[in-house]
Amino acid sequence: MMLQVDIQAQLGALKLDVQMDVPAGVTVLFGPSGAGKTTVINAIAGLFRPDSGQIKLGDEVLFDGRKNVPPHHRQMGYVFQDARLFPHCTVRQNLTYGGSHDFDQIVDVLGLGGLLSRRPAGLSGGEKQRVALGRALMSNPKVLLMDEPLAALDGPRKSEVLPFIAEIAATRNLPVIYVTHAMAEVTQLADQLVLVDNGKVAHKGPVIDVLADPIAAKYFAKRDAGALIECVVERHDIDEGITVLASGAGPILLPGQVGRVGVGLRLLIPAQDVMLSKTALQGQSALNMIEAVIDDIKLLPNGNLAVILQAKELPIWAELTPLSVRKLGFEAGQNVFAIFKATAVGPV
Amino acid sequence: MQFDPAFWGIVTLSLRIAATATVVALPLAVAVAWLLARRQFWGHRIVNGLVHLPLVLPPVVTGYLLLIVFGRNGPIGGVLYKLFGVTLAFNWTGAALAAGIMAFPLMVRAIRLGFEAVDSGIEAAAATLGASPRRVFLTVTLPLIAPGILAGTVLGFAKALGEFGATITFVAAIPGQTQTIPSAIYGLLQVPGQEGAVVWLVAVSVVLAMGALIMSEWLATRMTKRLAA
């Protein structure tokens, strides 16, 4: 079922004007704090009334300027940043407050079996968010809204909850809107990526396409800008201490033992860590060298140049200074080698 | 009079008046506290002022106003008498009315603080789970403000038990009908040689007040534990 959002609202100095279609799968709303992301999902949940516009779920109009379906009739599962569990209820009572659809299965998947008789105050941050996720799912929502559900958690707790979210998103055929400004969550979860800046949608599309476009790079931290590629773990070489991945551009090597053989994973190739050479380089340490053709060269907002490459089936891009590009005479159509260290890329 | 029927009559009458006043005022206090804490409307300040008036007005003035309004010839008291044959003035129900009105602002204040302390985000979460505003109020808001309601009830009960000025003005101190512990103590003190009886009434007052405080502390700790563990 498709969720269609087209809303306008004046929020103090910020003018919110967002249009987006949300299909089944995970749509990540990404952008700086104060960009209006949370307001968008609050409007979808019915917790915020926009000034004008329309929100439709399938054929059902939820908001159109006059009509405004109240939150309790919208069937939107909402996982808040601060969990918002009912402090006076046990975990079991929290979970079943909005219904108990797939109770056993959800308790099992989220590992909540041991917590059912506890109260929220006795739970860790990660446990609270798992309960909040389970509670939203058991209400049998038509859409799942998540507002930075991992932001309040520390690193290890994040990696405790993230796989659960990924699994639920993958196994349930419903639109999931996930608000974050953490790149790792974008690369692990997103099917669609919507970049929100200053109340407007700056870019939207399949995550791989958006990240392959250097123009979207300014919305990410410098270390995070770069192409996202999908690989499959081919083998582990324990003696050499590497993992070999199969990708559309040939094998890619990673340090250490990553994933299980046969498992798909996404790899972010930071544009600042990709080096280009006209010839196949010998006698250097970087393990990954893939042949590619220069597709285009674009100017980045910071004055550097984005050299966009087609490496067999994969689009990747490198950030170079104008000086490098001029000295080596790079231009569209040229064959080059893209070189990056195994340690520069990692499963995100 | 030490432990004779008259003594126990005074004590039970006081308890009955205070309990009736508290029980009747409580739902109204919850409603008014909700209105003041959660709703913006024209006349917010006026309602707030009226609710708090008995707290700052001399109790005798409150009692006199009650007599004017609820007396048998008063605008409300007259209607009650004509329609239902009910008389409040110089009757124990009138004492309960006076005690309730004096206790009301204290109850509203405590419960309003409870409403203001509830995270409205938790109520919004309940709404997204399909709960109607009514269900949210009954299953989320009320349990969360229970400590505030408890504090308001104990405070209101203690105030009602000790009310003197408005009560004696409105309903006087008729033995067996409207003579409460405070008015009995006052009356006995006007008669030489009755200090012995006063001691026991004072002791009962202290025991009742302490009992109410200890019970509310115990309940509050239990509630806080439930929320925190």
Side-chain angles (χ1 to χ4, degrees):
Chain A
M1 191 142 38
M2 177 84 91
L3 177 72
Q4 290 167 289
V5 178
D6 173 6
I7 51 169
Q8 294 81 39
Q10 191 70 43
L11 302 162
L14 182 73
K15 193 172 177 351
L16 189 75
D17 187 0
V18 167
Q19 289 81 39
M20 60 179 189
D21 290 345
V22 186
V26 179
T27 297
V28 169
L29 294 190
F30 185 90
S33 300
K37 307 183 295 290
T38 299
T39 306
V40 171
I41 59 171
N42 279 344
I44 295 169
L47 300 177
F48 169 78
R49 190 192 172 111
D51 298 338
S52 60
Q54 190 181 53
I55 301 172
K56 270 176 79 178
L57 180 61
D59 295 329
E60 189 191 353
V61 175
L62 299 177
F63 170 78
D64 67 1
R66 280 168 293 121
K67 186 180 175 184
N68 190 28
V69 177
H72 63 285
H73 288 147
R74 290 201 183 193
Q75 269 191 281
M76 300 280 170
Y78 200 144
V79 181
F80 298 89
Q81 183 174 344
D82 49 353
R84 299 194 188 174
L85 301 180
F86 307 125
H88 57 296
C89 297
T90 61
V91 167
R92 179 190 291 275
Q93 290 165 334
N94 266 283
L95 285 171
T96 56
Y97 188 86
S100 44
H101 296 269
D102 304 326
F103 181 88
D104 294 330
Q105 188 212 342
I106 290 168
V107 165
D108 189 43
V109 169
L110 293 175
L112 299 173
L115 307 176
L116 291 175
S117 57
R118 309 252 302 266
R119 283 185 195 278
L123 303 179
S124 72
E127 289 168 338
K128 279 183 191 161
Q129 283 303 29
R130 273 152 52 199
V131 175
L133 179 57
R135 181 177 72 171
L137 289 171
M138 283 184 201
S139 71
N140 197 25
K142 292 177 179 163
V143 175
L144 188 58
L145 307 168
M146 295 201 237
D147 186 13
E148 306 200 34
L150 306 183
L153 308 183
D154 55 20
R157 294 283 92 74
K158 274 191 178 57
S159 38
E160 169 196 323
V161 182
L162 197 52
F164 290 120
I165 297 176
E167 174 161 354
I168 274 148
T171 52
R172 293 188 166 239
N173 184 35
L174 80 172
V176 177
I177 303 183
Y178 190 101
V179 169
T180 186
H181 53 244
M183 194 63 182
E185 292 160 35
V186 174
T187 49
Q188 273 197 43
L189 295 174
D191 297 311
Q192 309 284 319
L193 181 58
V194 176
L195 299 179
V196 182
D197 186 29
N198 201 24
K200 313 273 184 302
V201 172
H203 289 269
K204 60 185 168 190
V207 62
I208 294 196
D209 296 356
V210 174
L211 292 180
D213 183 355
I215 299 309
K218 67 170 175 179
Y219 296 104
F220 306 109
K222 192 162 166 47
R223 190 76 189 78
D224 292 335
L228 188 66
I229 62 174
E230 285 181 323
C231 312
V232 176
V233 177
E234 200 170 77
R235 63 188 171 85
H236 295 121
D237 190 330
I238 292 161
D239 293 340
E240 302 283 5
I242 54 159
T243 300
V244 181
L245 308 175
S247 79
I252 289 177
L253 306 187
L254 285 188
Q257 253 187 282
V258 179
R260 278 173 294 126
V261 172
V263 164
L265 55 85
R266 284 169 163 183
L267 219 54
L268 183 74
I269 303 187
Q272 63 169 10
D273 294 330
V274 179
M275 178 177 130
L276 297 186
S277 165
K278 285 180 152 178
T279 54
L281 281 187
Q282 301 292 318
Q284 51 88 30
S285 66
L287 286 174
N288 293 300
M289 179 156 68
I290 51 184
E291 283 189 73
V293 182
I294 296 178
D295 208 31
D296 196 4
I297 297 175
K298 284 182 178 167
L299 183 64
L300 290 169
N302 63 8
N304 284 338
L305 294 172
V307 180
I308 300 163
L309 308 164
Q310 195 66 35
K312 290 185 192 143
E313 296 152 34
L314 289 184
I316 58 176
W317 61 282
E319 181 176 347
L320 302 181
T321 58
L323 177 65
S324 303
V325 173
R326 188 165 48 79
K327 262 173 56 183
L328 291 163
F330 287 139
E331 54 187 29
Q334 218 172 8
N335 287 308
V336 292
F337 291 88
I339 299 161
F340 48 92
K341 295 172 65 172
T343 51
V345 290
V348 276
Chain B
M1 149 183 171
Q2 270 181 12
F3 294 109
D4 60 10
F7 171 84
W8 290 114
I10 292 167
V11 173
T12 50
L13 181 67
S14 282
L15 286 174
R16 184 161 55 149
I17 287 169
T20 307
T22 317
V23 167
V24 174
L26 186 61
L28 210 60
V30 172
V32 170
W34 177 83
L35 208 64
L36 291 175
R38 292 294 177 84
R39 284 283 176 270
Q40 285 305 318
F41 55 92
W42 190 91
H44 191 277
R45 278 163 195 277
I46 295 174
V47 172
N48 194 32
L50 279 176
V51 164
H52 283 88
L53 207 55
L55 205 58
V56 286
L57 222 50
V60 175
V61 173
T62 306
Y64 179 64
L65 290 173
L66 284 174
L67 202 52
I68 291 176
V69 176
F70 288 96
R72 203 176 276 187
N73 300 317
I76 297 180
V79 171
L80 287 176
Y81 180 66
K82 278 192 198 111
L83 291 184
F84 308 107
V86 173
T87 316
L88 289 172
F90 308 110
N91 198 327
W92 80 271
T93 46
L97 176 69
I101 281 179
M102 295 303 288
F104 198 64
L106 294 173
M107 299 173 79
V108 170
R109 284 175 78 86
I111 298 167
R112 182 180 173 174
L113 285 179
F115 273 117
E116 283 166 353
V118 169
D119 175 4
S120 60
I122 291 182
E123 295 168 311
T128 65
L129 292 165
S132 63
R134 187 189 143 86
R135 182 172 170 223
V136 173
F137 184 78
L138 292 177
T139 60
V140 177
T141 316
L142 268 188
L144 290 179
I145 63 162
I149 291 182
L150 179 70
T153 309
V154 172
L155 218 57
F157 182 75
K159 173 75 190 171
L161 207 54
E163 216 304 306
F164 176 69
T167 309
I168 206 158
T169 313
F170 185 35
V171 296
I174 307 162
Q177 284 185 54
T178 62
Q179 192 183 46
T180 59
I181 296 176
S183 54
I185 292 174
Y186 179 78
L188 286 170
L189 287 177
Q190 307 306 306
V191 186
Q194 287 294 335
E195 290 82 358
V198 166
V199 168
W200 288 107
L201 285 173
V202 168
V204 167
S205 293
V206 172
V207 167
L208 286 175
M210 280 301 286
L213 277 179
I214 289 169
M215 200 172 87
S216 83
E217 277 293 311
W218 179 72
L219 279 171
T221 323
R222 258 186 51 157
M223 277 185 215
T224 323
K225 261 196 199 143
R226 251 184 74 190
L227 296 184

